[in-house]
Amino acid sequence: MHPKKRLSIKSATVAGIAASSLLGLAGLTLNPAPANAVVYCQYVEYPAGCVARAGVVLRPRPVARAAVRHNAGGNANGGVNRVGAGR
């Protein structure tokens, strides 16, 4: 029988360092450049730092309203109509 060849600790360490350095170099070279995108305004000054398009009339941003609850005390038993005392 032939003995199996194993990687020595030194060669495995050198291979790991080489792979790490190659991945690090690839990460540096493939780093994307920052995008110079223009964000147009939907409302007056929204979003912050936006650019208004020519010929577009901007309106104030609508104000959020509180939710309206209809029949606030009506659904006491979870919507199931049972005979007996309601809880």
Side-chain angles (χ1 to χ4, degrees):
M1 295 269 171
H2 298 289
K4 290 185 178 180
K5 290 185 179 180
R6 291 186 174 180
L7 287 175
S8 67
I9 294 175
K10 185 176 181 181
S11 63
T13 304
V14 170
I17 291 173
S20 297
S21 63
L22 283 174
L23 287 173
L25 183 63
L28 289 175
T29 57
L30 298 176
N31 192 12
N36 296 325
V38 176
V39 178
Y40 292 107
C41 296
Q42 295 174 348
Y43 299 104
V44 176
E45 291 298 320
Y46 179 78
C50 61
V51 177
R53 293 188 209 186
V56 176
V57 178
L58 295 176
R59 291 177 173 71
R61 192 171 171 198
V63 179
R65 298 181 200 148
V68 177
R69 292 182 61 195
H70 297 287
N71 195 9
N75 193 13
N77 64 351
V80 180
N81 294 324
R82 294 191 178 105
V83 177
R87 294 184 182 155

